[in-house]
Amino acid sequence: MARPAQAMLLLAVAVAAASCWSASADATGTTVAEICKGTPYPDLCTSTAGKQASRYGTVDALTVLNMQVDAFEKRTAAARTHVSAEAQAKTSSPAAVTALDLCNSLYQDVLDNLGAARRAIGFKDAVTIRAMMGMAVQDMQGCDEQFKKAGEKNPMERFDQSLSKMSEICRSLSNMI
């Protein structure tokens, strides 16, 4: 009879300890918006990361960086979907299709860089995170450059601009960890 009572007492202590840990983790009251104020695009940072804040017990620069990388990855996937649709459009010129195909490849490189950045976050390796974000920006600039060379309007410009801003946000956040 003593064993079940001890097990229940141990379970009650574990639950109480876990609730105390959770409360102390949030005791600072730090919000996503407060952390995002230290980035070059605080409104974009807050709007993209803030949606995910409820999934995390603690809000700090590292968790906001994770949220940003998640949002960056989703935005890049959306860019790849859009670039594929643009390449299939009958109104796209051959030069534009060539540039779009290269952009699609570059967006895949961005996703690879985000994977490396995510691994670096696990080690709190800010230098690698910044390097991966710098490479991502170069990929978006490479996409833009292809359209300039072809003398075509870049249908991916809006994506490239927002992705470049998200990269800068991630670089800023990496300086905070």
Side-chain angles (χ1 to χ4, degrees):
M1 218 39 176
R3 290 255 184 224
Q6 289 174 339
M8 289 300 287
L9 180 60
L10 184 60
L11 179 62
V13 169
V15 169
S19 67
C20 289
W21 177 81
S22 176
S24 66
D26 293 335
T28 61
T30 304
T31 66
V32 170
E34 290 169 338
I35 292 168
C36 286
K37 283 181 186 177
T39 69
Y41 305 100
D43 291 339
L44 178 60
C45 176
T46 302
S47 68
T48 54
K51 298 172 187 173
Q52 303 176 48
S54 62
R55 294 190 340 210
Y56 294 86
T58 302
V59 176
D60 59 15
L62 193 62
T63 55
V64 174
L65 178 58
N66 270 310
M67 293 175 208
Q68 281 299 316
V69 171
D70 288 345
F72 195 162
E73 191 171 52
K74 288 176 185 172
R75 182 74 174 157
T76 305
R80 287 197 76 207
T81 299
H82 187 76
V83 79
S84 294
E86 286 289 332
Q88 299 293 325
K90 295 180 191 237
T91 57
S92 296
S93 70
V97 171
T98 300
L100 289 164
D101 287 343
L102 180 64
C103 289
N104 193 24
S105 175
L106 292 170
Y107 291 136
Q108 181 58 53
D109 291 347
V110 170
L111 291 173
D112 293 343
N113 291 330
L114 291 174
R118 191 176 304 283
R119 288 186 295 280
I121 289 169
F123 293 104
K124 296 183 181 179
D125 181 357
V127 173
T128 300
I129 296 165
R130 284 191 294 278
M132 294 301 105
M133 294 302 155
M135 291 169 64
V137 168
Q138 288 176 349
D139 289 332
M140 269 93 63
Q141 289 170 341
C143 178
D144 293 338
E145 189 61 34
Q146 292 306 307
F147 284 96
K148 288 177 186 169
K149 285 181 183 176
E152 299 270 342
K153 181 175 175 7
N154 183 357
M156 302 308 296
E157 184 175 22
R158 185 174 51 96
F159 281 99
D160 292 344
Q161 288 174 353
S162 66
L163 291 169
S164 292
K165 288 177 181 178
M166 293 174 91
S167 175
E168 290 304 313
I169 291 168
C170 290
R171 289 172 66 133
S172 293
L173 291 167
S174 74
N175 288 329
M176 298 178 198
I177 61 173

